[in-house]
Amino acid sequence: MRQIEGVVSDRGSKYAVSGGLVSSRDEVDAFLKTLKQAKKYAKATHNTWAVLLDDAPLKNDDGESGAGMVILRMLEREGLRNHVIVVTRWYGGKHLGGDRFRHVQDCVRVYLEAEAAA
């Protein structure tokens, strides 16, 4: 599991990105469970995720409407399969409007760059 914290901070909201290899929905669930064992991730406002599994794409907005699709589209463009990416947001008290999608994209981009460099 790769975790990158402090990727974006805007109007009090803070973002992190995590990811790892998975090959089934059960493994996605296990990944999320492991991530949320850390209290700060369990208490996050949103843990939005997406994955392109061999049999089907999966995503979950976790209350951040539309964010899962942003992650999924970026995975599709990269052709990255069987790799879940989770963007975590801790809400800072101010609505970000459309900027939240740019922040999700920034988080995914940072993660993909870290994976390419590894």
Side-chain angles (χ1 to χ4, degrees), residues 89-105:
R89 177 183 178 195
W90 293 272
Y91 181 65
K94 296 199 169 138
H95 292 285
L96 301 180
D99 288 343
R100 71 187 193 275
F101 298 115
R102 185 171 41 85
H103 298 330
V104 169
Q105 288 175 329

mmCIF file of all heavy atoms in Angstrom, residues 89-105:
data_model
loop_
_atom_site.group_PDB
_atom_site.id
_atom_site.type_symbol
_atom_site.label_atom_id
_atom_site.label_comp_id
_atom_site.label_asym_id
_atom_site.label_seq_id
_atom_site.Cartn_x
_atom_site.Cartn_y
_atom_site.Cartn_z
ATOM 1 N N ARG A 89 -10.371 12.851 1.741
ATOM 2 C CA ARG A 89 -10.543 14.273 2.040
ATOM 3 C C ARG A 89 -11.024 14.437 3.466
ATOM 4 O O ARG A 89 -11.959 13.774 3.901
ATOM 5 C CB ARG A 89 -11.556 14.909 1.091
ATOM 6 C CG ARG A 89 -11.827 16.378 1.407
ATOM 7 C CD ARG A 89 -12.883 16.960 0.503
ATOM 8 N NE ARG A 89 -13.161 18.352 0.848
ATOM 9 C CZ ARG A 89 -14.218 19.023 0.428
ATOM 10 N NH1 ARG A 89 -15.095 18.444 -0.379
ATOM 11 N NH2 ARG A 89 -14.411 20.265 0.787
ATOM 12 N N TRP A 90 -10.353 15.335 4.159
ATOM 13 C CA TRP A 90 -10.801 15.777 5.471
ATOM 14 C C TRP A 90 -11.384 17.168 5.268
ATOM 15 O O TRP A 90 -10.666 18.108 4.918
ATOM 16 C CB TRP A 90 -9.641 15.820 6.465
ATOM 17 C CG TRP A 90 -9.101 14.461 6.789
ATOM 18 C CD1 TRP A 90 -9.540 13.620 7.787
ATOM 19 C CD2 TRP A 90 -8.040 13.758 6.133
ATOM 20 N NE1 TRP A 90 -8.821 12.458 7.766
ATOM 21 C CE2 TRP A 90 -7.893 12.509 6.762
ATOM 22 C CE3 TRP A 90 -7.213 14.056 5.048
ATOM 23 C CZ2 TRP A 90 -6.949 11.578 6.364
ATOM 24 C CZ3 TRP A 90 -6.273 13.132 4.646
ATOM 25 C CH2 TRP A 90 -6.144 11.908 5.299
ATOM 26 N N TYR A 91 -12.699 17.289 5.460
ATOM 27 C CA TYR A 91 -13.422 18.534 5.185
ATOM 28 C C TYR A 91 -12.970 19.637 6.134
ATOM 29 O O TYR A 91 -12.845 19.422 7.335
ATOM 30 C CB TYR A 91 -14.918 18.282 5.329
ATOM 31 C CG TYR A 91 -15.792 19.471 5.043
ATOM 32 C CD1 TYR A 91 -15.851 20.015 3.773
ATOM 33 C CD2 TYR A 91 -16.563 20.045 6.048
ATOM 34 C CE1 TYR A 91 -16.665 21.101 3.491
ATOM 35 C CE2 TYR A 91 -17.383 21.126 5.784
ATOM 36 C CZ TYR A 91 -17.424 21.652 4.516
ATOM 37 O OH TYR A 91 -18.227 22.727 4.244
ATOM 38 N N GLY A 92 -12.722 20.813 5.569
ATOM 39 C CA GLY A 92 -12.201 21.921 6.362
ATOM 40 C C GLY A 92 -13.214 22.977 6.732
ATOM 41 O O GLY A 92 -12.864 24.010 7.290
ATOM 42 N N GLY A 93 -14.497 22.746 6.426
ATOM 43 C CA GLY A 93 -15.514 23.693 6.854
ATOM 44 C C GLY A 93 -16.030 24.625 5.759
ATOM 45 O O GLY A 93 -16.993 25.343 5.973
ATOM 46 N N LYS A 94 -15.375 24.624 4.599
ATOM 47 C CA LYS A 94 -15.824 25.475 3.495
ATOM 48 C C LYS A 94 -16.009 24.627 2.252
ATOM 49 O O LYS A 94 -15.174 23.791 1.921
ATOM 50 C CB LYS A 94 -14.799 26.571 3.217
ATOM 51 C CG LYS A 94 -14.664 27.515 4.383
ATOM 52 C CD LYS A 94 -14.042 28.816 3.968
ATOM 53 C CE LYS A 94 -14.197 29.762 5.121
ATOM 54 N NZ LYS A 94 -13.091 30.564 5.425
ATOM 55 N N HIS A 95 -17.116 24.869 1.559
ATOM 56 C CA HIS A 95 -17.385 24.138 0.321
ATOM 57 C C HIS A 95 -16.393 24.567 -0.757
ATOM 58 O O HIS A 95 -16.077 25.746 -0.885
ATOM 59 C CB HIS A 95 -18.817 24.378 -0.159
ATOM 60 C CG HIS A 95 -19.837 23.765 0.749
ATOM 61 N ND1 HIS A 95 -20.077 22.414 0.771
ATOM 62 C CD2 HIS A 95 -20.645 24.312 1.673
ATOM 63 C CE1 HIS A 95 -21.007 22.160 1.676
ATOM 64 N NE2 HIS A 95 -21.368 23.292 2.240
ATOM 65 N N LEU A 96 -15.918 23.605 -1.530
ATOM 66 C CA LEU A 96 -14.910 23.873 -2.557
ATOM 67 C C LEU A 96 -15.496 23.954 -3.957
ATOM 68 O O LEU A 96 -14.792 24.307 -4.901
ATOM 69 C CB LEU A 96 -13.825 22.786 -2.527
ATOM 70 C CG LEU A 96 -13.079 22.624 -1.206
ATOM 71 C CD1 LEU A 96 -12.043 21.521 -1.334
ATOM 72 C CD2 LEU A 96 -12.449 23.933 -0.774
ATOM 73 N N GLY A 97 -16.776 23.615 -4.097
ATOM 74 C CA GLY A 97 -17.400 23.654 -5.413
ATOM 75 C C GLY A 97 -16.667 22.747 -6.387
ATOM 76 O O GLY A 97 -16.179 21.675 -6.026
ATOM 77 N N GLY A 98 -16.532 23.202 -7.626
ATOM 78 C CA GLY A 98 -15.875 22.414 -8.664
ATOM 79 C C GLY A 98 -14.388 22.201 -8.430
ATOM 80 O O GLY A 98 -13.788 21.301 -9.023
ATOM 81 N N ASP A 99 -13.783 23.023 -7.564
ATOM 82 C CA ASP A 99 -12.354 22.849 -7.270
ATOM 83 C C ASP A 99 -12.058 21.472 -6.694
ATOM 84 O O ASP A 99 -10.949 20.964 -6.842
ATOM 85 C CB ASP A 99 -11.863 23.912 -6.285
ATOM 86 C CG ASP A 99 -11.760 25.293 -6.917
ATOM 87 O OD1 ASP A 99 -11.744 25.389 -8.166
ATOM 88 O OD2 ASP A 99 -11.694 26.277 -6.149
ATOM 89 N N ARG A 100 -13.047 20.862 -6.054
ATOM 90 C CA ARG A 100 -12.795 19.553 -5.443
ATOM 91 C C ARG A 100 -12.427 18.507 -6.494
ATOM 92 O O ARG A 100 -11.625 17.620 -6.238
ATOM 93 C CB ARG A 100 -13.960 19.102 -4.582
ATOM 94 C CG ARG A 100 -15.202 18.715 -5.319
ATOM 95 C CD ARG A 100 -16.354 18.453 -4.337
ATOM 96 N NE ARG A 100 -17.475 17.806 -4.954
ATOM 97 C CZ ARG A 100 -18.434 18.432 -5.603
ATOM 98 N NH1 ARG A 100 -18.385 19.747 -5.771
ATOM 99 N NH2 ARG A 100 -19.444 17.755 -6.116
ATOM 100 N N PHE A 101 -12.972 18.646 -7.707
ATOM 101 C CA PHE A 101 -12.626 17.698 -8.776
ATOM 102 C C PHE A 101 -11.190 17.897 -9.245
ATOM 103 O O PHE A 101 -10.478 16.939 -9.526
ATOM 104 C CB PHE A 101 -13.599 17.817 -9.952
ATOM 105 C CG PHE A 101 -15.007 17.487 -9.574
ATOM 106 C CD1 PHE A 101 -15.995 18.453 -9.618
ATOM 107 C CD2 PHE A 101 -15.353 16.206 -9.154
ATOM 108 C CE1 PHE A 101 -17.301 18.148 -9.247
ATOM 109 C CE2 PHE A 101 -16.652 15.892 -8.786
ATOM 110 C CZ PHE A 101 -17.623 16.867 -8.837
ATOM 111 N N ARG A 102 -10.747 19.144 -9.309
ATOM 112 C CA ARG A 102 -9.363 19.420 -9.670
ATOM 113 C C ARG A 102 -8.421 18.838 -8.615
ATOM 114 O O ARG A 102 -7.379 18.273 -8.942
ATOM 115 C CB ARG A 102 -9.145 20.928 -9.810
ATOM 116 C CG ARG A 102 -7.761 21.290 -10.297
ATOM 117 C CD ARG A 102 -7.635 22.771 -10.644
ATOM 118 N NE ARG A 102 -8.296 23.680 -9.726
ATOM 119 C CZ ARG A 102 -7.746 24.141 -8.600
ATOM 120 N NH1 ARG A 102 -6.537 23.761 -8.249
ATOM 121 N NH2 ARG A 102 -8.413 24.987 -7.837
ATOM 122 N N HIS A 103 -8.822 18.944 -7.353
ATOM 123 C CA HIS A 103 -7.997 18.399 -6.270
ATOM 124 C C HIS A 103 -7.924 16.874 -6.346
ATOM 125 O O HIS A 103 -6.870 16.289 -6.094
ATOM 126 C CB HIS A 103 -8.514 18.846 -4.905
ATOM 127 C CG HIS A 103 -8.467 20.334 -4.712
ATOM 128 N ND1 HIS A 103 -7.537 21.144 -5.319
ATOM 129 C CD2 HIS A 103 -9.257 21.152 -3.979
ATOM 130 C CE1 HIS A 103 -7.750 22.404 -4.961
ATOM 131 N NE2 HIS A 103 -8.792 22.433 -4.154
ATOM 132 N N VAL A 104 -9.032 16.228 -6.680
ATOM 133 C CA VAL A 104 -9.027 14.770 -6.859
ATOM 134 C C VAL A 104 -8.074 14.414 -8.002
ATOM 135 O O VAL A 104 -7.251 13.499 -7.875
ATOM 136 C CB VAL A 104 -10.456 14.225 -7.118
ATOM 137 C CG1 VAL A 104 -10.412 12.770 -7.566
ATOM 138 C CG2 VAL A 104 -11.318 14.380 -5.871
ATOM 139 N N GLN A 105 -8.163 15.140 -9.109
ATOM 140 C CA GLN A 105 -7.259 14.895 -10.238
ATOM 141 C C GLN A 105 -5.801 15.086 -9.831
ATOM 142 O O GLN A 105 -4.942 14.284 -10.196
ATOM 143 C CB GLN A 105 -7.581 15.837 -11.404
ATOM 144 C CG GLN A 105 -8.870 15.497 -12.104
ATOM 145 C CD GLN A 105 -9.223 16.514 -13.176
ATOM 146 O OE1 GLN A 105 -8.899 17.696 -13.059
ATOM 147 N NE2 GLN A 105 -9.897 16.059 -14.214
#
